[in-house]
Amino acid sequence: MRMFKDLHKESMAPVLDDLLNDGRLARLFSKDARHCALQLWVLQIKSEQSIENRVIYGRLLPYSHSSDRWSCSEDDSFRTFGQVQVQVVRLNLYVKSVHCAELLRQLSAGRTISAISEELKLGLSDQLRRRFGATNIAADSLVYRPVAYLLLDSADL
C-alpha cells in the first residue's frame, strides 16, 4: 500500500511548494542574495484601442547579475491576424534570489506586476508600468514543469 501511495504522489502534477522546497533549486531561493533572472513571455493582443497581455511562458534561472528592475525591448513588432495584431515580448526581471520565492507566490496568486513590484520594492519604469503593469498570470491555468525534466549543470547550483 505504501508503494502505491509513493507512486501516486510522484505522478501528481507538481505544485509551487514542491519547487520552492526542492533542494536541486536551492540556488534560486537562496538567502545569500544570489543573482537570478525571471523571464516572462507575454502575448500582447491589440484590437482597436486596447492591448491585452497574457503570460504564455515563464522561467526562473540563475544569472550573472541582478538589479531588482524589470526590463524588455522597446521594439514593437506586431503582426496582423484577422482583426487583431499580436506580438510576443520577453519581459525580464533581474532579481536577487531572496525575492524569488515570494515573487513566484505572488505571481501564482494572480497579482499584477505593478502590485508585486510595489510590495517587493522592484523597479518598474513608468513606461513598463503602462505597458505591463496590469499583467498577471491566470492562477487557474498554471502548470509547473517538474524539476526532473530540467537539465541542470552542477555549476548552476
Side-chain angles (χ1 to χ4, degrees):
M1 183 68 166
R2 185 177 193 296
M3 179 183 277
F4 175 76
K5 286 182 182 178
D6 290 345
L7 286 174
H8 177 70
K9 182 178 180 183
E10 288 180 18
S11 66
M12 292 174 36
V15 295
L16 180 58
D17 283 337
D18 293 339
L19 299 176
L20 296 177
N21 296 314
D22 191 308
R24 294 170 288 183
L25 299 177
R27 156 71 174 84
L28 297 173
F29 308 110
S30 172
K31 299 298 182 202
D32 295 332
R34 301 186 68 184
H35 306 300
C36 298
L38 174 69
Q39 299 173 328
L40 301 176
W41 280 261
V42 179
L43 173 66
Q44 292 190 297
I45 305 167
K46 185 190 294 187
S47 59
E48 297 176 17
Q49 299 298 325
S50 67
I51 296 178
E52 178 184 349
N53 292 329
R54 296 183 189 173
V55 176
I56 56 174
Y57 181 76
R59 67 183 181 181
L60 178 66
L61 59 155
Y63 210 67
S64 58
H65 76 276
S66 58
S67 61
D68 291 336
R69 297 192 58 78
W70 292 93
S71 67
C72 80
S73 170
E74 294 179 17
D75 296 335
D76 280 332
S77 57
F78 283 92
R79 296 188 182 218
T80 302
F81 290 93
Q83 301 295 322
V84 298
Q85 294 181 311
V86 300
Q87 73 174 348
V88 175
V89 177
R90 189 178 75 196
L91 181 61
N92 303 299
L93 175 62
Y94 303 105
V95 64
K96 297 271 193 282
S97 58
V98 295
H99 294 302
C100 290
E102 186 60 24
L103 178 63
L104 292 182
R105 281 189 184 99
Q106 290 196 28
L107 282 168
S108 297
R111 301 225 29 227
T112 66
I113 287 175
S114 284
I116 294 167
S117 298
E118 187 174 318
E119 184 166 325
L120 298 180
K121 309 282 189 270
L122 302 171
L124 183 63
S125 70
D126 290 340
Q127 178 187 14
L128 290 180
R129 186 177 309 280
R130 284 189 299 275
R131 191 171 175 193
F132 297 106
T135 303
N136 65 350
I137 296 176
D140 60 342
S141 63
L142 283 174
V143 176
Y144 300 100
R145 183 178 296 172
V147 175
Y149 294 170
L150 302 176
L151 298 175
L152 296 176
D153 182 357
S154 60
D156 290 336
L157 298 175

